[in-house]
Amino acid sequence: MGLTGESMGTGALESCCGALKIERETAEDRIIALAGNPNVGKSTVFNSLTGMNQHTGNWPGKTVANAHGKYRHRGANFILVDLPGTYSLMANSEEEEIARNFICFGNPDAVVVVADATCLERNLNLVLQTMEISDRVLLCVNLLDEAKKKKIRINLKALSEKLGIPVVGTSARSGKGLERLKDAAADLTQGKSRLHPMRITYSDEIERAISLLQPALENALAGKLNSRWAALKLLDGDKSLLRAMQDYLGKDLSSDQKVFDRLREAKKQLRKSGVTDDSFRDGIVTKIVELCETVSRETITYEKKEYAQRDQKIDRILTSKATGIPIMLLLLLGIFWITITGANVPSDLLASGLSWVGERLLEFFRWISAPAWVTGLLVEGVYRTLAWVISVMLPPMAIFFPLFTLLEDLGYLPRVAFNLDNFFRKACAHGKQALTMCMGFGCNACGVIGCRIIDSPRERLIAILTNNFVPCNGRFPTLIAVLTMFFAVSAGPFQSVVSALGLTAVIVFGVVVTMLISRLLSKTILKGMPSSFNLELPPYRRPQIGRVIVRSIFDRTLFVLRRAAVVAAPAGLIIWLLANSQIGGVSLLARCAGFLDPFAKLLGMDGYILMAFILGFPANEIVVPIIIMSYLAAGTLTDYQSLVQLHSLLLAHGWTWLTAVCVMLFSLLHWPCGTTCLTIKKETQSRKWTALAFAIPTVTGLIVCFAVTSVARLLGLA
């Protein structure tokens, strides 16, 4: 969803050097860039200031998402651009490059850097780097409420005097300090703030090189960029920045003879002083870190020396080699149990309500004397398919997504990535793939989009190609129904617990397959070594229940449901046509199933089951009702009233424990749904990778089912 040329209320959006350029509609409009490390509450600040007046999309030419919105204060419009969360502006990742480019070349009127009050020293690194680029920087020290609980005192006035920029303290989750933040941003953009930004002084060798090059740059840049910062970056030789700078200026700075000569002389002097390219950047980084320590020491007081002791004690349990994985599995089991038991009643109520609406629709079409084929296509085909998808998907998603988001808000998901990082490294994949895998539980399409957080193109592709091995919400109904009927039926009141245990075991198997296929890909078509990344374990925070529910319902549940409904509607039409079109007294559905039956037998299934998976390509939720419809030889999508009835129907058509196992394995491993395939095509911009994303799980599912069936029959177990 690109933003180039899109209208946004008060401004048109254009691409500029990979940055998002916003053209003001009026001279009074002010553009503010919102920067910050991940997990500092930047999104909370953004959401609180802009409310519902937001727009989302991708950065021009990038797959990293952006959000921008506006608010009105003191009679003026302020356009707030939420930059990707980043630890540095030295462009080691796509997110850092985007943030840096917008601050440098997007011409914001001010940059607000949001910092975490509980770990301010680490956050100051980004503040100081931003101050080198722009002299209009405002520091928002957020999460003061959490700092207070941990007995951390920050002298905001002294911090402002030290840095020479405005500093505002906030607790964005409760709304405290946000009015002061708006006032300070307005003063800064209107030139009312007294600014004396701190200048970082580097080693004598680096300072001499800067002073030699800077005068030549001042003439060449004509005030468009900070000449001191530009000198540093030219000496550093950051290729991505130099390309972006060339695009912005419309010329290559090295083509200016004076700049070229001074740059060559400055580098020559550095080499004579023993400063290599690597030690130059090390000198820059070291000085910034030392300055962060100095400023923190003079402005922050820790009344509790072991202020992070509680989090450390919890992490010793949750990230331990001995207990980390078991606790993760128990949490997963608990979430599935709550989802399974909690979704039953609302799902039944929703199905009953939609069924009642379907009956009224049938009566309406009969009343208007509509042709039978029209009634069949629209009501028995399209509507009933949509009704099934909604009644099956909505309740569990409305439970699962909030629970998942609660873990995210609590700060647990980075611990999942930490626990699985070593396993993914052994698979030559990226540790962040654990997070994208978690996103896939709700919807594989969301998991694919989530792969944007992986910087390496190679490792991002591996994550995209293997995301389907995690069962999405659409495959849960099939897995849960089969588990309950064939393996939990004798568990009595503990059916839901046994089903949750079985589902957890299936998912663990899917994770193992994910790692095996990731390693296979990294040793064949996507060769390479895993890249390193910094994983910050954020402090544990009390989740905001209300915000979590609203965000998960609107941003995730309804988003996924809408996409599923779009592809399920035409699927219903095709299913009805196949079930009601006959050749020689036999429906096309039955003929196709008969054709597939010999092949399906090799996989431990039958032709009707395999046909149901094929027709379920648009939406995995409709696999079970297609099987029921096929076995009953019905012309419409059918739902059985109880699992006991469904179990009897399946047994009557030759199902055994082996059939159940193969159906679950194939449901877990088979091709992605239509929505996910479309998402993969959009994310990779490649038909080849989309085809591979379809073929890899399909071949894996066929091989696994064939192997299990062959072994079971060879041992006389089936």
Side-chain angles (χ1 to χ4, degrees):
M1 186 165 61
L3 289 171
T4 303
E6 184 186 14
S7 174
M8 191 209 75
T10 60
L13 305 180
E14 296 178 352
S15 174
C16 175
C17 334
L20 193 71
K21 184 180 179 182
I22 303 178
E23 291 185 354
R24 302 164 178 80
E25 187 174 286
T26 68
E28 289 74 27
D29 291 348
R30 296 290 181 262
I31 299 168
I32 298 175
L34 192 65
N37 291 186
N39 304 306
V40 296
K42 184 165 62 70
S43 295
T44 306
V45 172
F46 175 78
N47 292 332
S48 299
L49 292 180
T50 60
M52 297 301 292
N53 199 6
Q54 301 172 10
H55 303 261
T56 58
N58 291 343
W59 290 89
K62 304 289 183 181
T63 56
V64 178
N66 76 53
H68 57 282
K70 58 181 178 178
Y71 67 91
R72 191 165 179 81
H73 186 64
R74 291 183 181 174
N77 289 324
F78 292 86
I79 302 169
L80 198 61
V81 180
D82 190 13
L83 301 180
T86 179
Y87 296 102
S88 168
L89 296 179
M90 291 188 178
N92 293 313
S93 70
E94 196 171 38
E95 284 84 356
E96 292 173 7
E97 184 180 325
I98 286 169
R100 180 203 65 198
N101 284 359
F102 186 80
I103 294 170
C104 295
F105 314 123
N107 297 319
D109 294 290
V111 181
V112 175
V113 182
V114 182
D116 184 347
T118 65
C119 48
L120 183 58
E121 180 181 320
R122 184 169 64 244
N123 288 201
L124 284 176
N125 191 308
L126 181 65
V127 178
L128 293 175
Q129 289 184 47
T130 306
M131 287 167 59
E132 285 196 302
I133 298 172
S134 172
D135 58 358
R136 297 185 303 277
V137 180
L138 165 62
L139 174 57
C140 168
V141 181
N142 193 32
L143 303 173
L144 283 178
D145 49 347
E146 291 189 17
K148 185 178 180 181
K149 290 176 186 175
K150 295 180 178 181
K151 305 296 183 183
I152 302 172
R153 305 289 180 223
I154 301 172
N155 189 330
L156 298 177
K157 184 179 179 182
L159 184 60
S160 177
E161 290 172 354
K162 274 282 175 187
L163 297 176
I165 61 173
V167 176
V168 176
T170 62
S171 297
R173 291 201 294 181
S174 60
K176 292 181 180 178
L178 292 179
E179 283 301 316
R180 291 195 302 274
L181 180 63
K182 289 194 282 189
D183 287 339
D187 289 342
L188 186 59
T189 58
Q190 293 166 5
K192 296 179 181 179
S193 298
R194 292 182 178 180
L195 300 173
H196 305 284
M198 171 190 288
R199 199 189 86 166
I200 305 173
T201 304
Y202 297 102
S203 66
D204 292 341
E205 296 82 6
I206 293 176
E207 286 297 331
R208 279 196 295 268
I210 293 172
S211 61
L212 181 62
L213 180 57
Q214 190 175 354
L217 281 172
E218 285 178 353
N219 293 328
L221 293 171
K224 291 183 178 180
L225 291 173
N226 184 313
S227 59
R228 177 179 169 83
W229 173 80
L232 270 172
K233 296 308 166 184
L234 281 173
L235 291 167
D236 185 31
D238 185 332
K239 292 181 180 178
S240 70
L241 175 62
L242 296 180
R243 282 195 300 269
M245 195 182 293
Q246 182 176 335
D247 291 342
Y248 176 69
L249 297 172
K251 64 179 180 180
D252 184 356
L253 285 174
S254 61
S255 64
D256 185 300
Q257 190 61 47
K258 191 173 182 180
V259 172
F260 179 80
D261 291 339
R262 292 290 183 90
L263 178 59
R264 186 173 58 180
E265 180 62 27
K267 287 192 171 184
K268 185 178 177 181
Q269 286 188 10
L270 286 170
R271 284 193 296 271
K272 279 184 178 179
S273 303
V275 180
T276 63
D277 290 343
D278 288 339
S279 63
F280 179 87
R281 176 168 279 208
D282 287 344
I284 300 294
V285 172
T286 302
K287 184 60 183 179
I288 292 175
V289 171
E290 289 175 354
L291 200 52
C292 290
E293 292 173 353
T294 302
V295 172
S296 299
R297 197 162 46 243
E298 296 176 0
T299 58
I300 304 173
T301 304
Y302 300 100
E303 294 181 13
K304 251 187 181 177
K305 295 299 180 185
E306 297 296 327
Y307 70 93
Q309 194 173 28
R310 185 200 63 177
D311 288 3
Q312 290 169 358
K313 285 181 179 178
I314 297 173
D315 279 339
R316 275 197 287 271
I317 299 172
L318 295 185
T319 61
S320 163
K321 290 183 179 179
T323 58
I325 298 293
I327 290 174
M328 186 177 70
L329 292 175
L330 283 173
L331 279 172
L332 190 64
L333 173 64
I335 287 175
F336 288 142
W337 180 77
I338 294 171
T339 301
I340 290 168
T341 54
N344 287 335
V345 173
S347 188
D348 289 342
L349 290 173
L350 200 54
S352 299
L354 292 173
S355 177
W356 181 86
V357 173
E359 293 300 323
R360 304 292 79 76
L361 284 173
L362 282 174
E363 291 175 5
F364 172 75
F365 276 90
R366 293 189 190 111
W367 178 67
I368 63 173
S369 302
W373 66 270
V374 173
T375 304
L377 277 176
L378 296 180
V379 180
E380 296 173 350
V382 174
Y383 176 79
R384 286 190 177 174
T385 303
L386 282 172
W388 175 271
V389 169
I390 293 170
S391 62
V392 168
M393 280 189 73
L394 185 56
M397 279 198 302
I399 297 171
F400 178 85
F401 278 140
L403 290 174
F404 189 79
T405 310
L406 280 173
L407 288 182
E408 187 179 353
D409 266 27
L410 187 64
Y412 181 68
L413 288 191
R415 274 80 183 175
V416 172
F418 181 87
N419 288 332
L420 295 178
D421 178 51
N422 189 45
F423 295 101
F424 278 105
R425 284 185 64 81
K426 288 179 179 178
C428 296
H430 201 287
K432 286 184 181 178
Q433 190 171 335
L435 296 176
T436 67
M437 191 172 62
C438 289
M439 296 175 195
F441 285 135
C443 172
N444 290 131
C446 291
V448 168
I449 293 172
C451 294
R452 296 172 177 180
I453 66 175
I454 299 175
D455 305 322
S456 162
R458 181 190 75 86
E459 291 164 337
R460 189 186 308 135
L461 271 175
I462 290 176
I464 288 174
L465 295 177
T466 58
N467 190 266
N468 188 66
F469 293 124
V470 172
C472 65
N473 194 75
R475 284 179 278 173
F476 284 162
T478 301
L479 294 171
I480 293 169
V482 174
L483 276 166
T484 304
M485 286 185 293
F486 286 88
F487 303 103
V489 68
S490 59
F494 301 103
Q495 272 192 8
S496 59
V497 176
V498 175
S499 296
L501 279 169
L503 187 57
T504 304
V506 169
I507 285 164
V508 170
F509 178 71
V511 173
V512 172
V513 172
T514 299
M515 293 180 179
L516 291 174
I517 299 298
S518 295
R519 184 167 180 80
L520 179 64
L521 289 170
S522 68
K523 296 297 181 182
T524 53
I525 59 175
L526 289 169
K527 290 182 180 179
M529 293 298 294
S531 60
S532 61
F533 75 105
N534 294 320
L535 177 63
E536 181 184 17
L537 296 181
Y540 292 99
R541 298 190 179 113
R542 183 181 299 170
Q544 292 183 295
I545 307 297
R547 280 181 184 267
V548 164
I549 292 173
V550 171
R551 193 168 81 241
S552 57
I553 294 294
F554 286 96
D555 291 353
R556 296 183 177 182
T557 303
L558 296 181
F559 172 76
V560 174
L561 187 65
R562 178 180 61 81
R563 298 183 84 168
V566 167
V567 292
L573 188 147
I574 294 171
I575 293 166
W576 187 89
L577 287 173
L578 287 173
N580 289 275
S581 302
Q582 297 187 347
I583 299 176
V586 181
S587 70
L588 284 175
L589 183 62
R591 287 191 177 276
C592 291
F595 174 77
L596 293 172
D597 197 62
F599 178 66
K601 295 291 186 187
L602 296 174
L603 305 176
M605 299 181 283
D606 63 34
Y608 285 110
I609 299 171
L610 194 54
M611 191 65 190
F613 277 112
I614 293 171
L615 292 175
F617 170 69
N620 288 306
E621 299 77 16
I622 59 179
V623 170
V624 171
I626 295 173
I627 293 173
I628 299 170
M629 179 183 72
S630 303
Y631 285 161
L632 292 174
T636 62
L637 208 62
T638 310
D639 182 18
Y640 252 40
Q641 296 302 311
S642 72
L643 286 179
V644 175
Q645 289 178 298
L646 179 55
H647 188 212
S648 300
L649 176 68
L650 299 179
L651 290 175
H653 283 81
W655 276 52
T656 65
W657 70 268
L658 180 60
T659 313
V661 168
C662 290
V663 167
M664 286 193 297
L665 287 174
F666 199 69
S667 179
L668 174 72
L669 303 175
H670 78 298
W671 52 79
C673 70
T675 304
T676 304
C677 286
L678 289 173
T679 305
I680 292 170
K681 172 63 172 64
K682 182 179 176 182
E683 292 296 305
T684 62
Q685 295 296 309
S686 167
R687 292 181 180 178
K688 180 187 78 172
W689 293 118
T690 306
L692 274 172
F694 183 93
I696 289 170
T698 301
V699 172
T700 303
L702 295 177
I703 291 173
V704 170
C705 288
F706 177 74
V708 170
T709 302
S710 300
V711 170
R713 288 172 180 167
L714 190 65
L715 297 176
L717 299 175

